[in-house]
Amino acid sequence: MKRKITLKHIARELDVSISTVSKALKNSEEISRETKEKIQAFAKLYNYKPNNIAISLKNKRTKNIGVIIPDIVHHFFTTVFRGIEKYANDKGYNVIVCVSDESFDKEVINMEMLANGSIDGFIMALSAETQLKNDYNHLKQVTDQGIPLVLFDRVTDEVNCDKVIIDDQAAAHMAVSKMIADGRQRIALVTTEDYLNVSSKREEGYRKALEEHNLPVREELILRLPYQYEDEKLSEVFFATQEVDAVLCVNEIFAVRTIRFLEDNDLRVPSDVSVIGFTDGILSRLSNPTLSSVAQHGEEMGTIAAKMLIDKVESDIEEGEEEYRTEVVEATLIERESTRSS
Amino acid sequence: MKRKITLKHIARELDVSISTVSKALKNSEEISRETKEKIQAFAKLYNYKPNNIAISLKNKRTKNIGVIIPDIVHHFFTTVFRGIEKYANDKGYNVIVCVSDESFDKEVINMEMLANGSIDGFIMALSAETQLKNDYNHLKQVTDQGIPLVLFDRVTDEVNCDKVIIDDQAAAHMAVSKMIADGRQRIALVTTEDYLNVSSKREEGYRKALEEHNLPVREELILRLPYQYEDEKLSEVFFATQEVDAVLCVNEIFAVRTIRFLEDNDLRVPSDVSVIGFTDGILSRLSNPTLSSVAQHGEEMGTIAAKMLIDKVESDIEEGEEEYRTEVVEATLIERESTRSS
DNA sequence: TTGTAAGCGTTATCAG
DNA sequence: CTGATAACGCTTACAA
């Protein structure tokens, strides 16, 4: 077992000072070619690599970024994470992930844990509970300390920082308009019952699109389901009493369930009812029929978020003139079988 | 912007020495109640938190664990990750994730990056390319340095370390036996063409089960598809020329595609053909019909891996007598509609 | 009871 | 060209 070698070891071994070794390994002009070669050869031989922790302490820069997301087993977040990770890695940063599990407390604990020197900045999506409580002191504390923060998808106006979002309202509007253009008239909305910022924006877009096309907004056609619902009972009640010819769902899972439910009730998708979901993930591509859905371009969001963060981290504006940006990523509608206007 | 406060600040402010502050905050008996109270109050007021990096440097322990996986947008890995993250967090560890993207080079780079002091140990699943090249020097280097390593799922015998796997062979055997018990006779296997350890183990189980039940192993019934295949052409060729009454797929995606293909060709699942997949993820639960599949219990694997790693990290056997364990997690068959023996 | 000093591994400044 | 020294923030013998 060859323990990690340090500058000190090399210095002792080669009978030079630590600073000489340090400089030699950085190819400093100050050191004679001869000594440099000797030292470099030795270092190579023993596979010397500087200790990141020591460098972090010295530079007050960890080259780590902290990512806090509500759930990792969730296609969208996972996709954003991939974007973050790729960009960050390219820039020489590592990514520390913490999962808040939609819990306010865990979010706070994780942030505090990381804020004590472990990371240079945060990228996060708020937990559902945090949005519900509307308590953002932990975020403010972090920004007050001068730690850069980028919020994505689940954001809040309460905190001053960079943000990356998709225009959920416009996206829902687009989806509903498409259905209307396809001749659909009774369009239902299946959304979450939790108060999530994104859901309500999507609902706004849904309402607006109907209104603009002079279609009535029927509250009975808006179904609110618990975030992780497992029973289709609710949906049965809903569809049994209503005639719908199109459904917009705020996520993939609701959409796939809806399709299944419709087919079990002898309604064909898309001929009888067309369905559009949000989150263009694996389910959309592989459901039967395949699901038209609003792509949120998570990877792109992740890339943008990482870029914004790293730019801030590496800029030395420090007490920056509070110049925060909000990037809006265009959502696109991926059309598949569930809306074929056949 | 209140910059982070350090022991030095407190000491200066309160006109005591740094070590007094340090001890006072640790509630040391050495310090008078009076001073302690003064210091603690001050620290609370200014929200003092020790700097993790400094502590890491001192203790030579980062309380970070490095996780390297081939792909984060993949239900199984994501699930394992969740298990790791939860357990690690409970134990006060953070998790740094790097994605190898199935690439050998990235795997090597990421490991080296993290091995220079950033983490106390690794948990990883080998990339496809690494398994193909059969080159594990980067792993050996890490273990040689005394950094604990736990391999999961995609493992190799070439490296001496703790491992967590499922018995893929037994799992496939179980699945095939179940189909046979249901009266199926011509059972196909849809597997990957890459050389992945897990796939080949599953194939072995498949073959063994058939043999044990005195059924012929027909090579034409074994279909090898590229890892991320997008065209169903291959599968068309396959099924068009064969009569099968059951299919075992080495992953969910292949399984769902198979179902879709069968239905498009007027074969009903499960009445005409029953289908079982591996990886009990969201697709299995939501496909139509729902998919019977082999649950790999990723979260449990993650928990076990994290436990093994942290135990090693925190044990002081150091030059441990090479006592490495391999934990086998029981796979279970989750029966859903695709195998209802109706 | 409090303080000094060394050390964790590096880098940077300043002398020699 | 090379080396001593201080510093990053903290802990911990050891002195006082």
Side-chain angles (χ1 to χ4, degrees):
Chain A
M1 175 154 94
K2 332 168 203 165
R3 277 241 151 273
K4 277 259 120 180
I5 196 179
T6 71
L7 291 185
K8 196 196 258 187
H9 295 320
I10 302 184
R12 197 155 35 210
E13 219 58 36
L14 262 37
D15 218 52
V16 288
S17 78
I18 294 181
S19 51
T20 302
V21 177
S22 175
K23 287 170 189 162
L25 292 177
K26 297 202 122 49
N27 237 314
S28 160
E29 291 305 317
E30 291 181 41
I31 309 295
S32 73
R33 209 166 51 77
E34 203 187 7
T35 345
K36 278 199 289 198
E37 278 171 2
K38 183 178 65 178
I39 293 177
Q40 288 171 0
F42 188 92
K44 214 147 298 160
L45 181 60
Y46 285 94
N47 192 31
Y48 168 80
K49 293 277 165 50
N51 178 311
N52 291 331
I53 297 293
I55 291 179
S56 295
L57 183 59
K58 183 112 253 280
N59 299 338
K60 294 159 142 274
R61 287 282 219 67
T62 61
K63 286 265 182 181
N64 285 156
I65 80 186
V67 171
I68 301 183
I69 50 183
D71 181 7
I72 183 80
V73 187
H74 183 304
H75 183 82
F76 173 65
F77 290 128
T78 259
T79 285
V80 176
F81 177 78
R82 182 207 256 160
I84 295 173
E85 205 263 349
K86 273 193 187 155
Y87 186 88
N89 249 351
D90 278 356
K91 295 288 178 181
Y93 284 74
N94 280 123
V95 180
I96 299 185
V97 198
C98 289
V99 177
S100 66
D101 238 338
E102 303 289 8
S103 141
F104 174 81
D105 290 340
K106 283 202 195 164
E107 194 175 285
V108 173
I109 291 173
N110 284 327
M111 281 199 90
E112 289 183 345
M113 200 159 173
L114 296 182
N116 300 133
S118 301
I119 49 86
D120 295 338
F122 282 108
I123 296 179
M124 65 185 290
L126 299 167
S127 78
E129 209 187 334
T130 303
Q131 287 185 92
L132 219 60
K133 287 186 81 149
N134 220 262
D135 180 347
Y136 305 106
N137 285 309
H138 50 306
L139 303 201
K140 289 174 187 156
Q141 238 175 259
V142 156
T143 54
D144 277 357
Q145 276 175 160
I147 301 179
L149 165 68
V150 177
L151 248 29
F152 74 89
D153 191 55
R154 307 243 204 112
V155 306
T156 172
D157 290 337
E158 301 288 312
V159 181
N160 254 318
C161 65
D162 286 333
K163 287 158 201 169
V164 190
I165 52 172
I166 66 159
D167 187 339
D168 281 291
Q169 190 186 308
H173 187 283
M174 167 180 68
V176 171
S177 299
K178 191 260 188 287
M179 289 168 148
I180 295 173
D182 284 350
R184 308 291 174 171
Q185 299 270 342
R186 297 183 56 95
I187 304 174
L189 173 70
V190 178
T191 182
T192 59
E193 66 177 7
D194 302 0
Y195 175 73
L196 282 181
N197 205 15
V198 293
S199 314
S200 59
K201 289 274 186 255
R202 287 170 195 170
E203 186 172 329
E204 282 171 28
Y206 162 83
R207 289 172 183 271
K208 222 169 104 184
L210 291 179
E211 282 160 11
E212 281 178 13
H213 292 271
N214 297 310
L215 288 174
V217 175
R218 310 170 139 270
E219 299 298 331
E220 330 90 73
L221 290 188
I222 299 179
L223 181 62
R224 295 172 204 286
L225 300 179
Y227 191 54
Q228 295 274 30
Y229 82 113
E230 288 299 329
D231 55 312
E232 2 259 7
K233 306 298 168 293
L234 291 161
S235 109
E236 290 183 26
V237 173
F238 176 65
F239 288 112
T241 62
Q242 302 293 337
E243 269 178 18
V244 300
D245 58 11
V247 184
L248 174 66
C249 299
V250 299
N251 62 47
E252 263 189 335
I253 297 180
F254 286 3
V256 169
R257 290 233 148 122
T258 298
I259 290 177
R260 177 68 193 255
F261 172 76
L262 291 168
E263 301 214 316
D264 285 353
N265 287 66
D266 295 319
L267 288 168
R268 318 266 307 269
V269 176
S271 49
D272 297 327
V273 182
S274 79
V275 177
I276 295 183
F278 263 78
T279 302
D280 180 53
I282 199 169
L283 276 175
S284 301
R285 286 193 294 284
L286 293 176
S287 74
N288 185 4
T290 54
L291 177 66
S292 296
S293 77
V294 177
Q296 298 165 96
H297 303 293
E299 188 156 346
E300 192 189 341
M301 286 183 77
T303 307
I304 294 176
K307 178 165 174 22
M308 285 173 116
L309 185 74
I310 293 177
D311 282 353
K312 271 281 192 309
V313 165
E314 298 188 341
S315 86
D316 15 44
I317 319 182
E318 290 288 345
E319 300 280 342
E321 292 313 295
E322 319 304 351
E323 198 218 302
Y324 296 121
R325 292 177 306 139
T326 294
E327 288 268 357
V328 179
V329 173
E330 199 80 35
T332 53
L333 181 63
I334 312 280
E335 298 188 39
R336 295 204 183 80
E337 293 165 355
S338 69
T339 53
R340 293 270 188 270
S341 37
S342 72
Chain B
M1 177 152 93
K2 332 169 202 165
R3 276 243 152 272
K4 277 258 121 178
I5 196 178
T6 70
L7 290 186
K8 196 198 259 186
H9 296 321
I10 303 185
R12 196 153 39 204
E13 219 58 36
L14 263 37
D15 219 52
V16 289
S17 79
I18 294 182
S19 58
T20 303
V21 178
S22 174
K23 287 169 188 160
L25 292 177
K26 298 201 121 52
N27 237 314
S28 160
E29 292 304 318
E30 289 181 39
I31 309 295
S32 72
R33 209 167 49 79
E34 201 187 8
T35 341
K36 278 200 289 198
E37 279 170 2
K38 183 179 65 176
I39 293 177
Q40 288 171 0
F42 189 92
K44 216 146 297 158
L45 181 61
Y46 286 94
N47 191 33
Y48 169 80
K49 293 277 164 49
N51 178 311
N52 291 330
I53 297 293
I55 292 179
S56 294
L57 183 58
K58 182 114 255 278
N59 299 338
K60 293 159 143 276
R61 286 283 216 68
T62 62
K63 287 266 184 178
N64 285 157
I65 79 186
V67 171
I68 301 183
I69 50 183
D71 181 7
I72 183 77
V73 187
H74 185 304
H75 183 83
F76 173 66
F77 289 129
T78 258
T79 285
V80 176
F81 177 78
R82 181 206 257 159
I84 295 173
E85 205 264 349
K86 273 193 187 154
Y87 186 89
N89 250 349
D90 278 355
K91 295 287 180 184
Y93 284 75
N94 280 123
V95 180
I96 299 185
V97 198
C98 289
V99 177
S100 66
D101 237 338
E102 303 289 8
S103 141
F104 175 80
D105 290 338
K106 283 201 194 166
E107 193 175 285
V108 173
I109 291 174
N110 284 327
M111 283 200 89
E112 288 183 345
M113 200 159 172
L114 295 182
N116 300 136
S118 301
I119 51 86
D120 295 337
F122 282 106
I123 296 180
M124 64 186 289
L126 299 167
S127 78
E129 210 188 336
T130 304
Q131 287 185 93
L132 217 61
K133 287 186 80 150
N134 221 262
D135 179 347
Y136 305 106
N137 285 310
H138 50 308
L139 305 200
K140 288 174 188 154
Q141 239 175 259
V142 156
T143 53
D144 277 358
Q145 278 176 153
I147 301 178
L149 165 67
V150 178
L151 248 28
F152 75 88
D153 191 55
R154 307 244 203 110
V155 306
T156 172
D157 290 338
E158 301 288 313
V159 180
N160 255 318
C161 65
D162 287 333
K163 287 159 200 168
V164 191
I165 52 171
I166 67 161
D167 188 338
D168 281 291
Q169 190 186 308
H173 187 281
M174 168 180 66
V176 171
S177 299
K178 190 260 188 285
M179 288 168 147
I180 296 172
D182 285 349
R184 309 289 174 170
Q185 300 270 343
R186 297 182 57 96
I187 303 175
L189 173 70
V190 177
T191 182
T192 60
E193 65 178 8
D194 302 359
Y195 175 73
L196 283 180
N197 205 14
V198 292
S199 315
S200 58
K201 288 274 188 257
R202 288 170 196 170
E203 184 171 332
E204 282 172 27
Y206 162 84
R207 288 171 184 273
K208 223 169 104 184
L210 291 178
E211 281 160 11
E212 280 178 15
H213 292 271
N214 297 312
L215 288 173
V217 173
R218 308 171 139 269
E219 300 298 331
E220 331 89 74
L221 290 187
I222 299 179
L223 180 63
R224 295 173 205 283
L225 300 179
Y227 190 53
Q228 296 273 30
Y229 81 113
E230 288 299 329
D231 55 312
E232 1 259 7
K233 306 296 167 293
L234 291 160
S235 109
E236 290 183 27
V237 173
F238 177 64
F239 288 112
T241 62
Q242 302 293 338
E243 270 177 18
V244 302
D245 57 11
V247 183
L248 174 66
C249 299
V250 298
N251 62 47
E252 263 189 334
I253 296 181
F254 287 3
V256 169
R257 289 233 148 122
T258 298
I259 290 178
R260 177 68 193 255
F261 172 76
L262 291 168
E263 300 215 319
D264 285 352
N265 287 64
D266 294 319
L267 287 168
R268 318 264 310 266
V269 175
S271 49
D272 296 328
V273 181
S274 78
V275 176
I276 295 183
F278 263 79
T279 301
D280 180 52
I282 199 168
L283 276 176
S284 301
R285 286 193 295 283
L286 293 176
S287 73
N288 185 5
T290 54
L291 178 67
S292 296
S293 79
V294 177
Q296 297 166 96
H297 303 292
E299 189 156 347
E300 190 187 343
M301 287 182 78
T303 307
I304 294 174
K307 179 166 173 22
M308 286 172 115
L309 185 73
I310 293 177
D311 282 354
K312 271 282 191 311
V313 166
E314 298 188 340
S315 86
D316 15 44
I317 318 180
E318 293 285 346
E319 300 281 340
E321 291 315 293
E322 318 304 351
E323 198 218 303
Y324 296 121
R325 292 177 306 139
T326 293
E327 287 270 356
V328 179
V329 173
E330 199 79 37
T332 54
L333 181 62
I334 313 280
E335 299 188 38
R336 296 205 183 79
E337 293 166 355
S338 70
T339 54
R340 295 269 189 271
S341 37
S342 74

